[in-house]
Amino acid sequence: MRIVERAIFVAFALGAASVAAPAFAFDGAPVGSSDAALPVVTTIPGAAPVLKKSAKPDTSLTALQYAAEGGHPIAQWKLGRMYADGNGVAQDDLRAFEYFSRIANAHAEDSPSAPQATIVANAFVALGRYYLDGIPNSKIKADTERAREMFSYAASYFGNADAQYDLARLYLKGIGTPRDTKYGARWLGLAAQKGQHQAQALLGQMLFNGESLPRQMARGLMWLTLARDNAGPDDTWIRDSYNKAIAKASEDDRAMALQMLEHWVSGKRD
C-alpha cells in the first residue's frame, strides 16, 4: 500500500505565523479555556514495505497482518508496537514507523471523539519520537521541527497527554522551536492535569525549585507525590526528584501538599 503524502491544515483561532502563549496558572493549568488548538502542517512520507512471510507463520500475526492490510487502525497499531518493541517479531523501527504512518495518513482528520482517536493520537506521538532522533540506516532522519509538528497535532487536535508532555519539553528546551518556558509550562500543566506522571514530575520539580516558574514548594511537592505514586520501574528520576524535594520541604509545605493531594483525590482540581 502506497502512502500518499498529504498536508494537514488545521485552522484555529491562533495564527500560524506567531502563536501567543495563552494565560495559565502557575500550576500550568489554563485560565478560563480548554486545550488550545495549534495550527500545524504535517507531511508524512514513506511507502510501506511488503510483509515477509515466515516459514511457519503465526496464526495471530497473520490475522493482524491481514487486518492491517485492510486498513484496520487497531491492527496497524498493534503491529507497529510489536515491531517497535520486538515483541513476537524481530525488532524493526522502520516497519513500525510505516504502520504508524498508515494510521496517521488515513485517520488524521477523524473526530477526536471517534473510537479510534486514541490510537491515532498515539501514532502521531510515536512518529514524533522517531523524528526526534531519526532511524539509523534509513530514510527517516532526525527532524526536530517535524517532531514538533507531530506532537503539536496530537496535543492540540486530539488533546493527547503524552503529546502535550513531549511538546512541553520541546518548548522548555528550545528543540525544533524557539525556547518558550511559559508556553512549555502551559502544555506541561495540561498533561499533568490529565494524570501524565512524567509531566506531573517535571512540573512539580519546576515549581518546587522555582525553575522558570515562581516557586511554590507545596504545590510542587503535591505534583511530585502524584508522579511518584504513578511512576514505573524505569522512572528513577521521578523518585529521585521526589526524595530530594521531601527532604528539603518544611513541615508546613508537607502539610499543605497533603491538603492539596486530598483535594485532588476528591476531584477538586483547582
Side-chain angles (χ1 to χ4, degrees):
M1 173 180 176
R2 180 174 165 273
I3 302 278
V4 180
E5 291 190 358
R6 61 189 293 183
I8 305 168
F9 297 94
V10 185
F12 297 102
L14 298 177
S18 61
V19 182
F24 65 96
F26 287 128
D27 61 352
V31 177
S33 65
S34 58
D35 293 14
L38 304 179
V40 299
V41 179
T42 304
T43 306
I44 306 172
V50 177
L51 294 171
K52 296 181 180 179
K53 295 182 180 180
S54 60
K56 295 181 179 179
D58 181 281
T59 303
S60 59
L61 179 60
T62 302
L64 277 177
Q65 291 171 341
Y66 182 81
E69 290 302 315
H72 199 294
I74 294 179
Q76 292 170 340
W77 171 256
K78 288 183 177 179
L79 281 170
R81 287 309 328 162
M82 287 171 66
Y83 281 109
D85 301 333
N87 182 16
V89 295
Q91 200 273 342
D92 189 331
D93 284 322
L94 186 58
R95 186 164 291 183
F97 180 94
E98 300 298 352
Y99 277 117
F100 297 144
S101 294
R102 292 190 193 190
I103 298 170
N105 278 346
H107 300 279
E109 297 176 3
D110 287 2
S111 169
S113 61
Q116 69 275 9
T118 299
I119 287 174
V120 180
N122 286 339
F124 272 98
V125 173
L127 290 170
R129 290 174 179 175
Y130 275 127
Y131 275 122
L132 276 180
D133 300 315
I135 300 176
N137 304 315
S138 81
K139 61 187 176 183
I140 309 303
K141 307 303 180 183
D143 188 336
T144 55
E145 184 176 352
R146 180 68 61 81
R148 182 195 60 79
E149 291 173 353
M150 298 292 169
F151 295 146
S152 182
Y153 191 77
S156 58
Y157 185 66
F158 290 103
N160 182 274
D162 288 332
Q164 290 169 345
Y165 168 66
D166 286 338
L167 185 60
R169 292 177 64 204
L170 296 188
Y171 278 107
L172 291 171
K173 295 181 179 181
I175 299 174
T177 184
R179 188 169 182 265
D180 190 328
T181 56
K182 288 186 177 180
Y183 209 44
R186 178 196 174 275
W187 283 117
L188 205 58
L190 289 174
Q193 289 284 345
K194 292 175 181 176
Q196 215 282 356
H197 67 280
Q198 294 166 309
Q200 291 173 337
L202 183 53
L203 181 60
Q205 183 176 286
M206 291 171 64
L207 286 168
F208 188 88
N209 296 322
E211 299 171 5
S212 304
L213 291 174
R215 194 170 195 177
Q216 297 185 46
M217 297 180 72
R219 187 171 293 278
L221 185 57
M222 179 207 73
W223 285 120
L224 283 167
T225 304
L226 286 169
R228 179 208 60 180
D229 291 345
N230 294 310
D234 296 330
D235 293 319
T236 55
W237 71 274
I238 293 178
R239 285 184 288 275
D240 289 344
S241 186
Y242 167 81
N243 290 334
K244 290 177 182 178
I246 197 68
K248 293 180 181 178
S250 67
E251 289 299 324
D252 287 343
D253 288 329
R254 295 183 186 186
M256 189 175 296
L258 179 59
Q259 186 177 19
M260 291 177 178
L261 282 169
E262 291 173 349
H263 276 270
W264 176 276
V265 172
S266 64
K268 299 176 182 178
R269 306 294 172 86
D270 52 2

